[in-house]
């Protein structure tokens, strides 16, 4: 697979075979399970406007997730590893991060779920069309959703692999006997897809 290519009028397209469709769908579903089901009210009539206001101003968590993959998806807004802070600065960073997380994480989780769901549905449409493979084509909004999900998948897999920038070149040299090899191959493949999709969105 060569990756995404720009299409006239905006958006992008990529040719996928059955195995690639299956892998991408499985990973997107696992991402949905990782992020969580959410607590949004079911669609339908009769919404109470007061309940809608409550949902709008609902507070989220203040502590970072304990799962390393979730912590990579929902990092602290202030401070973070690699920054040298005094004790006072660290305390301020924790306070500011907690407040920022309280009012943003729920919405961020919702957006990540919606993006991953859009990816799953677009792949299901390809599968329903039948045949050994197909060309996935998405509009500009669909491309943004795919880009977000591809990035989230790489972050989550990178956290599971404990990948650092210094180790990126070593990933290409893992022997086939290394138990991390399948996950590393997925990580690198997703990176290629992500990079090609970014290029289609550049002016």
């Amino acid at each position: 697979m060569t990756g995404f290519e720009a299409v006239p009028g905006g958006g992008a397209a990529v040719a996928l075979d059955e195995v690639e469709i299956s892998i991408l769908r499985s990973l997107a579903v696992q991402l949905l399970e990782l992020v969580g089901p959410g607590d949004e009210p079911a669609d339908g009539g009769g919404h109470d406007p007061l309940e809608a206001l409550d949902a709008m101003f609902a507070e989220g968590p203040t502590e970072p997730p304990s799962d390393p993959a979730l912590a990579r998806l929902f990092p602290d807004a202030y401070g973070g590893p690699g920054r040298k802070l005094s004790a006072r600065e660290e305390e301020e960073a924790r306070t500011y991060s907690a407040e920022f997380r309280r009012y943003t994480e729920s919405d961020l989780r919702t957006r990540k779920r919606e993006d991953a769901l859009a990816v799953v549905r677009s792949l299901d449409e390809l599968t329903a069309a039948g045949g050994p493979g197909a060309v996935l084509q998405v509009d500009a909004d669909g491309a943004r959703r795919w880009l977000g999900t591809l990035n989230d998948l790489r972050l989550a897999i990178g956290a599971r692999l404990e990948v650092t920038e210094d180790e990126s070149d070593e990933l290409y040299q893992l022997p086939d006997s290394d138990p991390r090899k399948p996950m590393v191959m997925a990580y690198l493949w997703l990176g290629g897809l992500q990079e090609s999709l970014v290029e289609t969105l550049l002016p």
Side-chain angles (χ1 to χ4, degrees):
M1 186 184 61
T2 57
F4 283 91
E5 296 181 359
V7 297
V14 61
L16 299 170
D17 62 29
E18 286 182 300
V19 173
E20 292 164 339
I21 292 172
S22 177
I23 292 173
L24 284 168
R25 190 186 189 284
S26 176
L27 290 174
V29 169
Q30 291 179 58
L31 178 63
L32 282 168
E33 294 172 348
L34 178 66
V35 172
D39 53 6
E40 298 87 350
D43 291 336
H47 289 307
D48 185 335
L50 294 179
E51 290 183 0
L53 283 174
D54 287 341
M56 183 181 301
F57 294 103
E59 296 182 359
T62 59
E63 296 296 325
S66 58
D67 185 312
L70 281 175
R72 189 75 65 89
L73 293 175
F74 304 102
D76 279 335
Y78 301 90
R83 294 191 59 185
K84 295 182 178 179
L85 303 176
S86 66
R88 178 182 176 184
E89 288 172 332
E90 287 181 358
E91 181 62 28
E92 290 178 346
R94 282 194 293 269
T95 300
Y96 295 149
S97 292
E99 284 300 299
F100 187 82
R101 185 181 297 278
R102 183 197 304 273
Y103 295 109
T104 60
E105 184 170 312
S106 294
D107 287 342
L108 185 56
R109 283 179 181 264
T110 297
R111 191 185 75 200
K112 291 181 182 297
R113 283 193 297 270
E114 290 175 348
D115 289 350
L117 276 171
V119 168
V120 171
R121 288 166 181 159
S122 62
L123 293 170
D124 286 345
E125 290 175 1
L126 281 186
T127 303
V135 175
L136 170 75
Q137 183 166 331
V138 292
D139 59 16
D141 181 64
R144 180 194 62 78
R145 291 181 180 277
W146 264 83
L147 187 60
T149 296
L150 288 172
N151 185 62
D152 288 343
L153 287 172
R154 291 194 76 241
L155 288 174
I157 294 175
R160 293 285 187 254
L161 292 170
E162 299 181 346
V163 172
T164 65
E165 292 296 330
D166 296 336
E167 297 173 334
S168 57
D169 291 339
E170 298 177 11
L171 297 179
Y172 292 92
Q173 303 171 5
L174 286 180
D176 292 340
S177 58
D178 193 306
R180 297 174 297 167
K181 187 66 176 284
M183 192 177 295
V184 166
M185 295 301 293
Y187 177 81
L188 297 174
W189 174 50
L190 291 170
L193 283 177
Q194 182 182 7
E195 183 177 355
S196 67
L197 184 52
V198 168
E199 291 176 354
T200 71
L201 299 176
L202 294 176

